[in-house]
Amino acid sequence: NFEQPLPGVSLAPGGHMLPGEPDLEGDGADFFPGASAAYPLGRPSVALDFIVENMDFAKLMEHTNVLATFNGTVKRAVADIAGYLVSPDNVTLALFPGSVGVDCSVALSSAEDAESVRNHLATSKTLVEELTFHLQAIATIASFEGITTGHVHIVRRGEPSIRGTTPAPPTKPTTATPSTSPTPPPTTTRPTPTTRACGAIGAACMMDVQCCSPR
């Protein structure tokens, strides 16, 4: 019986699905397949994708009580591994078929925080083990009978990546332009006119050079 109530879980609207988790009504956007909320716009985030093998996607989506338990379990496990900068409220999920694909996004306040969280998730040696442990635990609950089709385990689909930030373009080194003094205009030397001492008109010329014009 998929709708059998879980201990400490209420199906009433606005009731808390898990202690310390957001209620179903206020957190429903996480549950839609391919929800765009998985990558918040305008904020840096760390994306993490993985597949939950041997879990039936269609049956999981049909039962809101079970879906809320799955959602809260994954969000808390990711937040615990991501480090002190992250709480479950920072984690958003989008689910896809085959078996259950999970696109997980961790919203941060700055690019520096996003890089720190990415490093935590990328270098964690327990990420897969923690997620597998928690999902195997809830798979034993009676409400999950028929949703799991075998031994539940996690398969990662790549390394965590940062989204929502654009690196600044590299700055080109500036080359100083050597200053040059303007070239002065060339000077033109004008020939010095020569004058001849001419004798008076009608006077006798003792030498030819004294005659300025034919006499």
Side-chain angles (χ1 to χ4, degrees):
N1 181 7
F2 292 130
E3 296 302 335
Q4 177 182 347
L6 298 178
V9 177
S10 170
L11 293 178
H16 290 287
M17 303 309 298
L18 286 175
E21 294 297 335
D23 63 38
L24 176 61
E25 184 176 0
D27 203 30
D30 287 350
F31 305 146
F32 294 111
S36 60
Y39 302 112
L41 298 177
R43 294 182 63 183
S45 61
V46 177
L48 176 67
D49 302 339
F50 54 90
I51 297 173
V52 183
E53 294 282 5
N54 295 322
M55 189 169 285
D56 190 303
F57 173 81
K59 291 181 179 179
L60 178 65
M61 298 301 294
E62 287 175 1
H63 304 285
T64 56
N65 189 37
V66 175
L67 181 59
T69 303
F70 174 92
N71 180 74
T73 300
V74 172
K75 291 172 71 172
R76 181 164 294 283
V78 170
D80 288 346
I81 297 168
Y84 71 94
L85 293 171
V86 179
S87 73
D89 290 340
N90 299 121
V91 182
T92 310
L93 306 178
L95 307 183
F96 299 88
S99 298
V100 176
V102 181
D103 282 359
C104 175
S105 179
V106 182
L108 283 310
S109 59
S110 68
E112 292 77 12
D113 288 350
E115 180 61 29
S116 174
V117 169
R118 188 199 69 79
N119 287 335
H120 271 284
L121 294 175
T123 59
S124 172
K125 299 183 182 299
T126 62
L127 175 60
V128 171
E129 290 79 359
E130 284 290 319
L131 286 169
T132 300
F133 172 78
H134 289 294
L135 290 177
Q136 285 177 348
I138 64 173
T140 62
I141 300 174
S143 297
F144 274 81
E145 292 179 1
I147 293 179
T148 57
T149 58
H151 181 71
V152 175
H153 63 279
I154 305 295
V155 177
R156 292 178 65 163
R157 295 196 300 176
E159 294 299 317
S161 61
I162 296 177
R163 305 193 182 195
T165 60
T166 303
T171 57
K172 296 181 179 179
T174 56
T175 304
T177 304
S179 58
T180 55
S181 302
T183 304
T187 56
T188 304
T189 304
R190 297 183 178 181
T192 303
T194 56
T195 58
R196 298 171 62 186
C198 299
I201 297 176
C205 296
M206 298 298 295
M207 300 174 63
D208 290 340
V209 295
Q210 293 177 333
C211 297
C212 297
S213 59
R215 297 283 192 264

